[in-house]
Amino acid sequence: MRAALLLLSLIPLGTAAAQDPARMRETESVLETLVESYGVSGAEGPVRDAVRGLLPSWARPQVDTAGNLWVTAGRGEPTVVFVAHLDEVGFAVTEIGEDGLLELAAQGGIFPRLWAGRPALVHGGRSPVPGVFLPLDLAAGAGDSVSSSGDSITLRVDVGASARAQAEALGIRIGSTVTSPKELVRLAGHRMTARSFDDRVGSAAQVLAVRRLDARGLRHTVIFLWSVREEIGLEGAAVAARALGLRAARVHAIDTFVSADSPLEPGNFAVAPLGQGPVARALDNSSVTPPALVDSLVALAAARAIPLQVGTTNGGNDGSAFAEFGVPDVPIGWPLRYSHSPVEVADLRDVAHLAELVQAVAEGW
């Protein structure tokens, strides 16, 4: 393949329909609804319900045994799959102390020092229970650790209870999930911040594509998946991949491109500037996209005047769960700053263009 595998390739910004003011408002509205729904890995129900409520009337969503949401459109072969994940990083309660403090374990990759000293929400009862993440003992070095699913971490939450029974009376149990309050906040220009853009942006882009899709005009079968438990091991995607087996001809994971477009990082790897369009994830830690398919995606985007970047990054994606069945993975990302933190930053224009690209791939490739 051309140097696009190693160097960032940009297509100049066009006059794509995604920039229409009405579409931008719709994009922000859908994204806001999903961002402000809570769903740590294994507890995605509220987000799944939000997606279902945003789909058009022609869609007939189905939920499989794993909790993945499916929408199928078109008929005939080949079968093309899109997948975005419903879950977000967060924590689970592992112990309720005699003093009423909650011990936590991370669900997904977490930098604890970014959460310490912030407001908390404990989910699982009749309504979320507010609390605070205790500050870390930085002298012990805990603030620099990276936690992932199953690791023991030092974060604790205080919900104001002074005894275990008092915390339990609030509906808190072992296994209750814990997050922090969140909302979508517009910054200057088209920038915005929130927690859980990973992967509410991908989920929103798929919703918007389904809304705008000419389902009767599709030339083949297209499946849209909203998967569960991606952050703790691609578990939902693995179930879907096994269900489809050899049927899928191609899979597109619609997920974050963790970009080094940040004041905190060197610009020698994974730079995809915010505001310059979605990103073809040509290479990451879990997959290598066949060069011919990257070129084909670039050509389609150019034909539709949709800005597209091509780059490499760290992390994995749901599409790699289909690899054992020989299904090519062509992930499409969107640039994100400060991934897996409470203050992720994205650009609304990238979300709008991402939705337009998903629709274009479904209808024209």
Side-chain angles (χ1 to χ4, degrees):
M1 183 188 173
R2 301 188 306 262
L5 265 175
L6 299 176
L7 300 176
L8 196 65
S9 172
L10 299 179
I11 293 174
L13 290 171
T15 56
Q19 300 305 294
D20 176 77
R23 285 205 169 191
M24 292 291 279
R25 288 193 295 271
E26 182 189 15
T27 299
E28 183 175 4
S29 175
V30 169
L31 181 58
E32 182 177 40
T33 298
L34 297 183
V35 159
E36 296 181 4
S37 301
Y38 293 85
V40 176
S41 302
E44 298 93 345
V47 191
R48 183 171 53 240
D49 290 344
V51 168
R52 192 168 8 211
L54 291 166
L55 291 171
S57 59
W58 66 259
R60 296 291 184 267
Q62 297 180 315
V63 179
D64 64 19
T65 56
N68 301 311
L69 187 70
W70 297 60
V71 169
T72 301
R75 355 180 3 184
E77 299 305 324
T79 295
V80 176
V81 179
F82 296 88
V83 55
H85 65 87
L86 295 168
D87 57 322
E88 63 194 79
V89 296
F91 304 88
V93 176
T94 57
E95 183 178 346
I96 304 173
E98 291 292 347
D99 57 2
L101 294 179
L102 312 180
E103 301 284 343
L104 306 180
Q107 303 297 295
I110 297 285
F111 290 89
R113 60 190 172 89
L114 299 179
W115 299 70
R118 289 180 172 269
L121 283 177
V122 185
H123 306 270
R126 290 184 298 275
S127 60
V129 177
V132 293
F133 291 98
L134 270 62
L136 291 172
D137 181 2
L138 297 181
D144 296 322
S145 63
V146 180
S147 301
S148 58
S149 179
D151 288 344
S152 175
I153 63 173
T154 57
L155 279 185
R156 295 185 295 171
V157 163
D158 182 355
V159 296
S162 56
R164 177 185 297 158
Q166 190 178 3
E168 291 175 339
L170 296 172
I172 298 171
R173 302 288 185 267
I174 302 300
S176 294
T177 58
V178 182
T179 62
S180 61
K182 57 178 179 170
E183 64 176 325
L184 190 150
V185 176
R186 288 293 297 268
L187 305 175
H190 293 91
R191 297 291 164 84
M192 53 190 177
T193 184
R195 192 176 57 71
S196 76
F197 278 154
D198 179 9
D199 185 28
R200 300 295 197 271
V201 168
S203 293
Q206 291 193 168
V207 167
L208 291 162
V210 171
R211 282 182 167 190
R212 301 164 184 168
L213 200 63
D214 178 10
R216 291 174 296 182
L218 291 177
R219 297 177 295 175
H220 55 80
T221 301
V222 178
I223 296 174
F224 293 91
L225 280 169
W226 287 265
S227 69
V228 296
R229 303 190 298 281
E230 189 270 353
E231 298 290 3
I232 57 174
L234 316 183
E235 293 180 5
V239 171
R242 288 195 295 271
L244 289 168
L246 302 176
R247 180 183 168 194
R250 191 174 70 244
V251 60
H252 298 277
I254 311 301
D255 203 349
T256 311
F257 184 93
V258 180
S259 178
D261 177 27
S262 158
L264 304 176
E265 300 176 68
N268 56 356
F269 175 71
V271 177
L274 273 64
Q276 295 194 21
V279 192
R281 284 173 59 156
L283 174 70
D284 64 23
N285 297 88
S286 71
S287 67
V288 178
T289 305
L293 294 181
V294 174
D295 287 345
S296 183
L297 180 62
V298 168
L300 176 67
R304 299 290 185 101
I306 302 170
L308 179 65
Q309 308 180 68
V310 178
T312 64
T313 188
N314 284 319
N317 69 82
D318 270 334
S320 64
F322 293 73
E324 64 178 296
F325 301 100
V327 180
D329 182 13
V330 189
I332 305 171
W334 44 275
L336 179 69
R337 287 181 179 175
Y338 322 129
S339 178
H340 284 199
S341 82
V343 290
E344 296 175 339
V345 173
D347 193 294
L348 186 61
R349 293 170 297 181
D350 295 333
V351 186
H353 283 306
L354 179 61
E356 190 179 45
L357 183 58
V358 171
Q359 179 187 356
V361 172
E363 293 177 342
W365 186 17

